[in-house]
Amino acid sequence: MKRMSASVSPEGSLEVLSQLEAKTLLDTSARGLYRLFRNCALAVLNSGSHTDDAREIFQTYKDFGINLMQRNQGIKLRLENAPPAAFVDGRMIQGIREHLFAVLRDIIYTHNEILGDPTFDLDRSDHITSAVFHILRNARVLQAGVDPNVVVCWGGHSIGREEYDYSKEVGYQMGLRGLDVCTGCGPGAMKGPMKGATIGHAKQRIGGGRYIGLTEPGIIASEPPNPIVNELVILPDIEKRLEAFVRVGHGVVVFPGGVGTTEELLYLLGILMHPDNQDHPFPLLLTGPADSADYFAAVDRYLGKTLGKPAQRLYRIIVDDPVEVARFMRDAMGRVKAFRRAGKDAFYFNWQLRIEPEFQRPFVPTHAAMAGLSLSREQAPHRLAANLRRVFSGIVAGNVKEDGIQAVEEHGPFEIHADADMAAATDDLLQRFVAQRRMKLDGEYTPCYTVVG
């Protein structure tokens, strides 16, 4: 199909830029923002793509260009050789246009107001949480005066039709009960709940349904925002993205997925296992169609072997019952509201939840860092969960992120060292994901890791 060229005006956010902001954005040097902005913009324009290989997308559209034009009336973006699927009859699709300028908004804000502000010390836990708050507030995601009703939905982008349809039915049942949906904004189990919720909201004549998508630059190309997302936020890294989920959400539903979904689940369980959070109500459900029962049994078994029964007591598994999932989440909102009110906490941002620095500081999955992770039970369970989360984060990078793919090609698979029983449990779960084709959308999967016990 013919590539598209177009000039696009802002929609929804950031209609003006200072001269310094414009100069910084278009700086193509190693220290500039242009490559980051270009890649995130290309990912948004590539919504609906059937590949999750970031490098393949960037190679396919290596001639894509985006330039900023300063006008008397404000700014415009000039696109050259853009993906044609982002346009209808020569005009950019409205939702994609909104997403494009959300990218611009968040990249500029994070660079200037978070990374460029010396009052933010991003080695301090409280400052990291404040940074997440500021980014979400700037994106107008934090809404005061609304009772708890945001359900975070996690699950794989590489899932079968039956699992996708089930996630859509759960979203529909939640929408009928007035619940809003927040996901990682990509395809598969991230799109299904949103699509279902739109129908549920429409039947109940609920206007202004919220479909919040949280992503980060490293993953956005392999999981481009689906077109239903109406509140898109780009956090600077995976750790701040994960924190945004648990600060904004009032409960979590986990659908079948692969290593990314397991990373998210380990992140939340590690936080909830901290002694300071033991009385904190945070409803957590694992659910899927009948054919997913074995998948959840394997995940449950893995968590039991690694983190033990205290972790297993923090979630409930419901198989093949979308109505019960939605009812459980609706009823749980009352408990969340009562707890927040008793603690004088905000409904729109979960300040009371204790999140330790090891869950917040960015983990760069180099070969040395992956090999050096401590996967031993001679540490507090929540710290073990943090390191297990890093293992799966590194595998995500090796599977779909541009830098991770390149590192594995240059230096071979990541080595993961663990106690013998933990190594065996981890390898067994990963092999199941490979066999069930949960690692990649298409093509044969070559493991980017080896597990050493």
Side-chain angles (χ1 to χ4, degrees):
M1 296 180 68
K2 183 180 178 181
R3 307 286 175 84
M4 301 294 295
S5 297
S7 296
V8 188
S9 298
E11 183 66 34
S13 58
L14 204 65
E15 297 178 349
V16 294
L17 289 175
S18 72
Q19 290 183 336
L20 180 59
E21 287 173 330
K23 182 179 178 181
T24 301
L25 189 68
L26 298 179
D27 181 2
T28 57
S29 70
R31 297 178 60 188
L33 291 182
Y34 181 78
R35 183 172 182 271
L36 174 65
F37 175 53
R38 175 193 176 277
N39 288 354
C40 289
L42 177 57
V44 163
L45 295 167
N46 208 48
S47 178
S49 167
H50 294 289
T51 179
D52 55 0
D53 187 331
R55 195 170 58 175
E56 179 184 333
I57 293 172
F58 298 143
Q59 182 63 27
T60 300
Y61 292 97
K62 61 184 179 181
D63 58 351
F64 169 70
I66 183 166
N67 288 290
L68 184 68
M69 300 183 294
Q70 293 271 36
R71 300 294 177 87
N72 292 338
Q73 298 88 350
I75 62 172
K76 276 192 174 184
L77 294 176
R78 178 65 187 174
L79 311 179
E80 301 290 346
N81 301 310
F87 298 83
V88 173
D89 298 334
R91 293 180 62 85
M92 184 174 288
I93 295 170
Q94 181 72 5
I96 292 179
R97 185 176 164 195
E98 292 176 2
H99 292 170
L100 184 62
F101 283 93
V103 167
L104 179 63
R105 174 202 67 211
D106 292 338
I107 287 176
I108 286 291
Y109 183 81
T110 297
H111 180 269
N112 289 350
E113 306 299 331
I114 305 299
L115 303 179
D117 186 347
T119 62
F120 276 111
D121 180 357
L122 295 182
D123 285 326
R124 287 182 51 180
S125 180
D126 57 334
H127 282 222
I128 293 172
T129 297
S130 290
V132 171
F133 174 87
H134 280 255
I135 293 169
L136 293 171
R137 184 179 64 181
N138 183 65
R140 300 179 182 176
V141 168
L142 306 180
Q143 297 186 2
V146 180
D147 284 350
N149 75 333
V150 175
V151 178
V152 172
C153 294
W154 287 334
H157 66 295
S158 179
I159 60 173
R161 186 73 206 186
E162 185 178 3
E163 291 175 346
Y164 173 77
D165 288 343
Y166 181 85
S167 73
K168 189 165 62 174
E169 179 64 21
V170 170
Y172 170 68
Q173 294 295 336
M174 292 196 299
L176 287 176
R177 290 161 177 81
L179 299 173
D180 290 327
V181 176
C182 173
T183 79
C185 85
M190 291 169 274
K191 179 182 177 182
M194 290 185 169
K195 193 168 186 179
T198 62
I199 305 303
H201 289 157
K203 284 190 174 182
Q204 294 285 27
R205 302 299 188 262
I206 296 172
R210 304 181 69 195
Y211 317 107
I212 305 166
L214 305 179
T215 187
E216 53 102 0
I219 204 73
I220 191 173
S222 56
E223 296 179 357
N226 72 70
I228 301 169
V229 172
N230 61 7
E231 298 181 42
L232 175 66
V233 188
I234 295 88
L235 284 300
D237 51 61
I238 185 65
E239 286 76 13
K240 293 177 185 61
R241 179 198 192 196
L242 289 170
E243 181 163 354
F245 279 126
V246 300
R247 298 290 185 189
V248 167
H250 303 107
V252 171
V253 173
V254 181
F255 296 100
V259 288
T261 304
T262 309
E263 175 189 4
E264 292 163 339
L265 181 56
L266 287 165
Y267 175 87
L268 180 54
L269 289 175
I271 290 171
L272 296 180
M273 290 175 75
H274 192 286
D276 289 357
N277 296 326
Q278 62 180 353
D279 296 323
H280 198 110
F282 204 105
L284 173 58
L285 277 180
L286 282 59
T287 191
D291 285 352
S292 299
D294 288 344
Y295 167 85
F296 287 113
V299 171
D300 182 53
R301 187 164 54 250
Y302 174 72
L303 294 172
K305 289 181 178 180
T306 55
L307 300 178
K309 291 191 179 297
Q312 292 175 305
R313 286 194 287 266
L314 293 171
Y315 57 84
R316 179 180 171 190
I317 299 175
I318 298 177
V319 175
D320 205 29
D321 195 343
V323 172
E324 179 60 20
V325 171
R327 285 174 176 166
F328 180 91
M329 279 295 160
R330 177 203 60 194
D331 294 344
M333 294 301 108
R335 298 193 297 275
V336 173
K337 180 179 178 180
F339 181 81
R340 300 279 185 97
R341 179 168 284 166
K344 295 182 169 45
D345 198 7
F347 292 162
Y348 53 82
F349 193 85
N350 191 345
W351 290 105
Q352 291 186 82
L353 199 66
R354 173 76 177 269
I355 302 181
E356 292 280 271
E358 54 262 54
F359 291 93
Q360 296 179 305
R361 291 176 182 145
F363 173 68
V364 180
T366 64
H367 282 70
M370 290 287 283
L373 289 172
S374 173
L375 302 182
S376 166
R377 289 189 179 81
E378 295 180 0
Q379 57 188 315
H382 67 277
R383 298 189 190 282
L384 173 58
N387 283 327
L388 287 171
R389 195 284 297 180
R390 291 173 177 138
V391 166
F392 285 86
S393 185
I395 296 174
V396 170
N399 282 351
V400 301
K401 294 187 179 181
E402 184 182 18
D403 292 344
I405 294 170
Q406 184 175 341
V408 171
E409 286 184 349
E410 291 179 359
H411 305 292
F414 294 124
E415 283 193 1
I416 301 164
H417 298 266
D419 290 349
D421 59 339
M422 198 171 303
T426 302
D427 192 47
D428 177 68
L429 184 67
L430 291 170
Q431 289 299 328
R432 288 176 182 273
F433 290 167
V434 173
Q436 295 170 8
R437 305 187 68 83
R438 297 186 184 278
M439 292 293 204
K440 296 280 286 182
L441 278 172
D442 52 20
E444 291 301 315
Y445 176 67
T446 302
C448 66
Y449 63 89
T450 58
V451 182
V452 182

